[in-house]
Amino acid sequence: MFERFTKDAREVVRGAVASCQEAGGGTVGPEHLLLALLDREASRGSFALAALGLPVENRQPVREALDEARRRAGLSRADADALADLGIDVTAIVSRVEEAHGVGAMSGDRPGRGRRIGLPGRPAFGRDAKSVLETSLRIALAHRDRHIGDEHLLLALTARPGPSAEVLADHGVTHTSLTRVLYSEGEARAG
C-alpha cells in the first residue's frame, strides 16, 4: 500500500510518528495523523484546508481542540455528553486524575504500553491509525485516483467518527465539504 503514497502522504506518516514521539507516546493514533496534516504546506490537503477556512496560520485552534480531546482520553464531546446524561462528569474525572497523576495522564500517550509492533524505538501505529490508512486507500480507489495523497488521509480522517473528525467538523471541515473542494472543482476544470 505504501508504494501508492505520494511524497506528501509519506511526509504525513513520518510527521505522525514524530508527533507521537514528541508527545512521549507509544502508539500513533488518528490525532497524530491530523497534527501532521496541519503542519503541511503546499500540498493538496493543505490547499483543501485553506479553501475551507483553515489556512496554515489559523490552525492552532484545531491543535488545541485535539489536545483537549486527548486530555479526555480520546472521548469525543458526543461521548462525554452521553456519559453526562448518565450522571458521569468527564471533566471532573479528568481533573481528579490529573490532580493525582499530572496533566495529560488520561491521554494514553505512554511509551511501553501494549504489544510493540514496528521498528525498535519508534511508536507503532494503533488500530485506529491503521484504519485511517486503509480508509484512505478505499477513498482513493473510489475516486479512481492512482495514488494516495495527503488529501486522501484527510478525507479518511473525516469519514471515521471520533475526536479528529469532530474537531475538524467544528472548524467547518467535513467529509462532504472536503469532497466538494477536492473533486467538484477538479471535475469542473476537467469538463
Side-chain angles (χ1 to χ4, degrees):
M1 178 166 100
F2 288 107
E3 65 275 0
R4 295 182 120 183
F5 275 50
T6 63
K7 179 182 173 192
D8 287 323
R10 287 185 182 134
E11 286 299 317
V12 168
V13 171
R14 285 188 201 103
V17 171
S19 176
C20 181
Q21 287 175 318
E22 287 170 18
T27 306
V28 176
E31 70 277 7
H32 299 111
L33 289 165
L34 179 52
L35 288 168
L37 277 160
L38 293 174
D39 289 338
R40 301 293 304 147
E41 293 184 39
S43 68
R44 197 153 181 233
S46 179
F47 289 130
L49 287 171
L52 292 170
L54 272 179
V56 173
E57 60 275 5
N58 292 343
R59 295 181 186 168
Q60 189 57 33
V62 176
R63 288 182 179 86
E64 291 167 2
L66 277 174
D67 286 343
E68 189 59 34
R70 285 195 3 220
R71 283 187 63 219
R72 292 189 312 260
L75 290 174
S76 67
R77 269 194 322 282
D79 295 335
D81 291 344
L83 289 169
D85 289 344
L86 297 172
I88 300 170
D89 184 353
V90 173
T91 304
I93 292 170
V94 170
S95 295
R96 282 190 229 139
V97 169
E98 289 184 344
E99 281 175 22
H101 302 285
V103 174
M106 293 181 60
S107 70
D109 285 340
R110 293 192 194 148
R113 288 185 53 215
R115 198 169 58 122
R116 283 281 313 139
I117 299 173
L119 298 173
R122 297 201 110 163
F125 275 71
R127 180 182 53 214
D128 290 341
K130 288 178 185 176
S131 180
V132 169
L133 298 177
E134 292 166 3
T135 301
S136 70
L137 171 63
R138 286 189 201 100
I139 288 170
L141 292 173
H143 288 285
R144 295 188 176 125
D145 292 332
R146 295 176 190 219
H147 66 278
I148 301 169
D150 68 333
E151 71 274 16
H152 299 107
L153 294 170
L154 187 57
L155 280 163
L157 283 166
T158 61
R160 302 182 71 255
S164 296
E166 182 178 85
V167 167
L168 284 168
D170 288 347
H171 290 86
V173 181
T174 64
H175 188 75
T176 302
S177 65
L178 271 172
T179 302
R180 183 176 23 82
V181 165
L182 290 166
Y183 292 99
S184 295
E185 291 177 6
E187 290 169 7
R189 277 183 262 148

